[in-house]
Amino acid sequence: MQDKARLFAYSTWAIMISLAIILFTNRFLTFVAQPGWEGLVVLLVFGFVYMNLVFTVVKRYIRKVPAPTQLHNLLGVLVFLPPACWIVISATAISTDEILILAVLVLACGLGIYFGNRAGIRARYEYIQKLKEYQEKQTEKK
């Protein structure tokens, strides 16, 4: 039960932050259509922001999961959905720019899931080691 409560908590704040990011960065996505380095920089920054968000969410979630799980993939999908829906709904017609933005978003969320899971497993191992050391010190005091 505790794992489901943690998943609910992480998913709600991840969705809210994802929605806030797309609301504040939506006006910059028009620069993607510009040729040259400006469009590329905007696209890379957009992807980097979402990759870091998914990385952080997944790492924090995996760190204290009691048993290995695949629910971190759901967190990545929940971060992906608000900007994807916003881009599709706000577009008058789906063009290559929107498809490119969605592709970058999928790649960023996928990389965030992958690297966040790996970092979370490492952090969980360190957390368990510190917990064992703490428990050993407590038993020595008694």
Side-chain angles (χ1 to χ4, degrees), residues 78-99:
L78 290 175
V79 170
F80 168 77
L81 284 178
C85 290
W86 182 272
I87 290 168
V88 170
I89 290 171
S90 67
T92 54
I94 301 295
S95 66
T96 57
D97 296 332
E98 284 82 14
I99 293 172

Side-chain angles (χ1 to χ4, degrees), residues 10-86:
Y10 278 84
S11 63
T12 54
W13 73 259
I15 290 171
M16 293 305 293
I17 292 174
S18 177
L19 224 124
I21 290 171
I22 193 63
L23 286 175
F24 291 118
T25 61
N26 186 37
R27 68 187 109 160
F28 298 113
L29 294 180
T30 58
F31 293 116
V32 172
Q34 293 184 359
W37 62 274
E38 292 171 351
L40 181 63
V41 167
V42 169
L43 197 59
L44 290 176
V45 168
F46 183 74
F48 187 71
V49 166
Y50 274 96
M51 184 184 73
N52 281 322
L53 176 62
V54 174
F55 175 85
T56 303
V57 170
V58 170
K59 180 183 174 187
R60 287 180 55 103
Y61 178 74
I62 291 293
R63 182 172 183 250
K64 292 190 180 177
V65 171
T69 181
Q70 295 297 319
L71 287 176
H72 63 280
N73 295 326
L74 178 64
L75 289 172
V77 170
L78 290 175
V79 170
F80 168 77
L81 284 178
C85 290
W86 182 272

Side-chain angles (χ1 to χ4, degrees), residues 117-133:
N117 185 33
R118 290 178 61 190
I121 290 171
R122 269 187 258 116
R124 182 175 58 206
Y125 177 76
E126 293 170 5
Y127 175 74
I128 290 171
Q129 294 302 320
K130 288 179 184 177
L131 187 63
K132 286 180 181 178
E133 290 173 6

